[in-house]
Amino acid sequence: MSGTPPDDPRADRVAALRWLRTPAGEAATARAADLVADRVDVLPALARLRAEVGPDGAGPAWELARLRARARATFGDDADRLLLTADALEQAGRPVLATRRARRLLAGGARSVADLGCASGTDTVALARAGAAVTAVDLDPVARELTAANAEALGVADRVQVVAGDVVALVAAAADGRVAGCDAAVLDPARRAGGRRQLDPDRWSPPWSTVALLLDRAPACVVKVAPGLDHARVPDGVEAEWVSAGGSIAEALLWGRGLSRTWRRASLLLADGWLLELTADRDPGTAPVGPVRGWLHEPDPAAIRSGLVALVAADLGATLVDPTIAYLTSDGPADSPWVSSHAVTDVLPFNLKKLRALLRARGVGRVTVKKRGSPIEPESLARQLRSPGSGTAVVVVTRVAGAPTVLVCDVSG
Ligand SMILES: C[S@@+](CC[C@H](N)C(=O)[O-])C[C@H]1O[C@@H](n2cnc3c(N)ncnc32)[C@H](O)[C@@H]1O
């Protein structure tokens, strides 16, 4: 691994990370982990740590212990061995999904994979565990330090080479389907800058031009992109996949042409780790539109983002309530993991006074507000609709055939 020039401001960060891996650093982090587990507040915890491990080590040890505690939900037992920074943890994907990606990448026959922008090494470790020889590249010395440490801590260092490099240049130099000397590549551009999301793919790092070039030059690659990526950007012959977990999008991927199997794929990660998939070889278009019926169905975000709501609708015998809104309706409840269903009791034009009166008449005092295609703020409307009644309901604010409409659903109590 190449070093960090001493005048680089990140050199201090690297030095602190290296200290955390020494016996003294590990002991300080273990002590900090005890204080985190005992829920000691930050100021007294830092005072105790300063007294016990010295003024320089207290801050880094406390931060690492806190980050490991936060990472446990996603990384499981590995979390307690990871070297992390807040930035790297925020950028890290879910290991379970990194493993799935690694397996698909290697099923194409690749043996060596370039992890282009490795950060803390989530993909690097998943690829190495899946059997690949990994070249992990990052411009940032802190990222390289983290990846090298994590590969070692998780027992895959013998399959990982960490190198300094600019992904833009490496992709520009790709030839014969190989990048950075590897058979395959994973690219996960940084899509945040200064704590804010970069909505414009041309401002990602590396930018969209590098993503497009990689997809052109490396048939065996996968790129992580923003869930809101415009479908018009997806090159011909490239499979785009949206993966959801727990009702929100976990990741969106573009698969190189050598690995693409379909036009669009929606994948649903269930709590037990199983994945359900919905695929279409061509654009299924929009679902038919019809009047609101007895049940309203909210499609899973992976089905919506991938443009596959029409497939879900066909499966359920459902129609859209409006051509521009992803709510489906049918006569009966749906036994499908691709939607959550609500029993509709009332449909009325949006009018706060009339809605309040109706809820009061039904004894509803608490509502959950959902919205699509409406500027209302759900929490604020839910507060405005509170009343002494003991019943509950789901209030859906949307457009039906173009008109602002409220659907009162799931009334109970
Ligand atoms: C979103 S993070 C990768 C996260 C990683 N896949 C994970 O799950 O932990 C993007 C990484 O790309 C690196 N990066 C951004 N632009 C780069 C470039 N031009 N060359 C090399 N690395 C770059 C950043 O330093 C950052 O570590």
Side-chain angles (χ1 to χ4, degrees):
M1 189 175 78
S2 67
T4 308
D7 57 347
D8 187 322
R10 291 166 298 188
D12 284 350
R13 200 90 183 92
V14 170
L17 290 170
R18 281 196 186 151
W19 177 79
L20 285 165
R21 295 173 67 198
T22 63
E26 282 178 3
T29 308
R31 181 70 191 111
D34 289 342
L35 297 171
V36 170
D38 291 346
R39 297 174 183 273
V40 178
D41 283 340
V42 54
L43 291 179
L46 278 172
R48 269 203 243 173
L49 277 175
R50 270 187 216 109
E52 291 175 25
V53 308
D56 294 341
W62 175 252
E63 190 192 352
L64 180 57
R66 293 260 306 239
L67 292 172
R68 282 178 173 172
R70 202 188 304 161
R72 220 165 280 141
T74 314
F75 286 83
D77 290 344
D78 283 353
D80 291 325
R81 286 182 283 165
L82 292 176
L83 193 61
L84 295 164
T85 61
D87 223 29
L89 181 58
E90 178 164 328
Q91 302 199 69
R94 297 177 188 225
V96 61
L97 296 178
T99 300
R100 175 176 174 262
R101 266 183 283 121
R103 288 193 182 136
R104 182 164 172 193
L105 207 58
L106 298 184
R111 307 180 76 104
S112 56
V113 183
D115 182 3
L116 303 172
C118 54
S120 59
T122 318
D123 283 292
T124 296
V125 168
L127 288 160
R129 281 177 166 168
V134 188
T135 299
V137 182
D138 212 293
L139 269 180
D140 181 354
V142 173
R144 297 195 298 273
E145 192 68 26
L146 296 176
T147 296
N150 291 335
E152 193 182 313
L154 299 178
V156 292
D158 58 332
R159 259 168 279 153
V160 173
Q161 199 195 356
V162 182
V163 297
D166 184 348
V167 170
V168 174
L170 288 171
V171 172
D176 303 324
R178 298 173 69 80
V179 189
C182 296
D183 309 331
V186 173
L187 171 58
D188 182 5
R191 297 178 295 280
R192 284 182 168 272
R196 299 181 60 147
R197 244 183 223 143
Q198 289 293 347
L199 296 178
D200 179 359
D202 296 328
R203 300 174 75 102
W204 295 348
S205 181
W208 178 259
S209 53
T210 296
V211 172
L213 196 59
L214 181 71
L215 289 165
D216 266 350
R217 296 210 170 159
C221 76
V222 60
V223 183
K224 265 171 99 175
V225 294
L229 184 81
D230 185 349
H231 282 242
R233 290 231 187 212
V234 182
D236 285 346
V238 165
E239 174 186 329
E241 176 182 23
W242 279 260
V243 183
S244 75
S248 52
I249 298 288
E251 64 182 28
L253 307 170
L254 301 180
W255 291 94
R257 292 189 179 87
L259 299 169
S260 290
R261 297 286 170 264
T262 188
W263 176 72
R264 297 288 184 267
R265 187 185 302 266
S267 302
L268 185 61
L269 180 68
L270 302 175
D272 57 9
W274 279 93
L275 258 153
L276 298 175
E277 297 184 333
L278 205 60
T279 59
D281 290 338
R282 66 187 71 84
D283 187 350
T286 45
V289 181
V292 177
R293 291 183 268 163
W295 287 80
L296 185 79
H297 313 289
E298 277 184 276
D300 182 86
I304 296 175
R305 292 285 196 182
S306 58
L308 301 184
V309 170
L311 298 190
V312 178
D315 188 41
L316 303 182
T319 45
L320 289 169
V321 300
D322 185 283
T324 62
I325 305 278
Y327 277 136
L328 294 168
T329 183
S330 71
D331 293 323
D335 181 18
S336 163
W338 291 102
V339 295
S340 39
S341 301
H342 304 283
V344 180
T345 48
D346 304 272
V347 182
L348 59 157
F350 184 78
N351 177 309
L352 190 56
K353 227 167 129 188
K354 287 192 177 149
L355 178 58
R356 244 198 219 119
L358 184 139
L359 291 172
R360 203 158 283 165
R362 297 198 185 288
V364 171
R366 306 245 153 175
V367 299
T368 302
V369 175
K370 292 173 177 282
K371 67 145 189 174
R372 218 162 255 176
S374 161
I376 63 115
E377 212 272 294
E379 280 81 31
S380 141
L381 181 60
R383 268 196 306 277
Q384 287 175 282
L385 293 174
R386 255 192 208 176
S387 74
S390 60
T392 60
V394 173
V395 166
V396 178
V397 185
T398 188
R399 278 198 309 270
V400 170
T405 304
V406 178
L407 281 65
V408 179
C409 308
D410 300 342
V411 175
S412 71

